[in-house]
């Protein structure tokens, strides 16, 4: 994975963050979702983590060849914003 761009990693991070946020809300509001996640690995958080990791890797590989901008600070701020907003969604 040495040829994966920073932009690809940022996109993958966004996907993982929002997957975890949305699946957490779904699992807390729909007991069937939580039960399904628990059946997959024994505990719902283990399943969420595993799926998020696979999603991260797939997304990073899909966007691996994206060109990076000269200044990646905007990409980093976007991840920070996603993290804060996803946290608020969960809250």
């Amino acid at each position: 994975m040495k040829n994966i761009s920073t932009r690809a990693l940022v996109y993958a991070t966004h996907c993982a963050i929002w997957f975890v946020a949305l699946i957490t809300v779904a699992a807390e509001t729909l007991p069937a979702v939580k039960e399904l996640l628990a059946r997959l690995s024994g505990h719902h958080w283990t399943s969420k983590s595993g799926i998020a990791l696979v999603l991260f890797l797939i997304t990073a590989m899909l966007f691996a060849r994206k060109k990076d901008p000269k200044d990646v600070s905007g990409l980093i701020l976007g991840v920070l914003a996603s993290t804060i907003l996803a946290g608020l969604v969960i809250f």
Side-chain angles (χ1 to χ4, degrees):
M1 284 192 6
K2 72 178 189 177
N3 293 338
I4 294 181
S5 68
T6 302
R7 186 180 297 250
L9 296 175
V10 166
Y11 290 171
T13 301
H14 282 291
C15 285
I17 287 169
W18 285 103
F19 167 76
V20 170
L22 296 175
I23 199 72
T24 299
V25 170
E28 294 304 319
T29 56
L30 303 167
V33 173
K34 193 176 220 174
E35 290 172 25
L36 173 67
L37 291 169
R39 276 185 284 163
L40 288 175
S41 68
H43 196 277
H44 61 99
W45 269 110
T46 306
S47 295
K48 287 180 201 178
S49 299
I51 296 168
L53 177 62
V54 169
L55 182 64
F56 177 88
L57 293 172
I58 290 170
T59 306
M61 286 187 263
L62 284 174
F63 293 102
R65 305 245 186 262
K66 285 282 189 188
K67 299 258 186 209
D68 285 334
K70 297 213 184 278
D71 181 16
V72 295
S73 61
L75 295 173
I76 304 304
L77 288 174
V79 170
L80 179 61
S82 268
T83 304
I84 292 168
L85 289 172
L88 290 172
V89 166
I90 292 170
F91 181 70

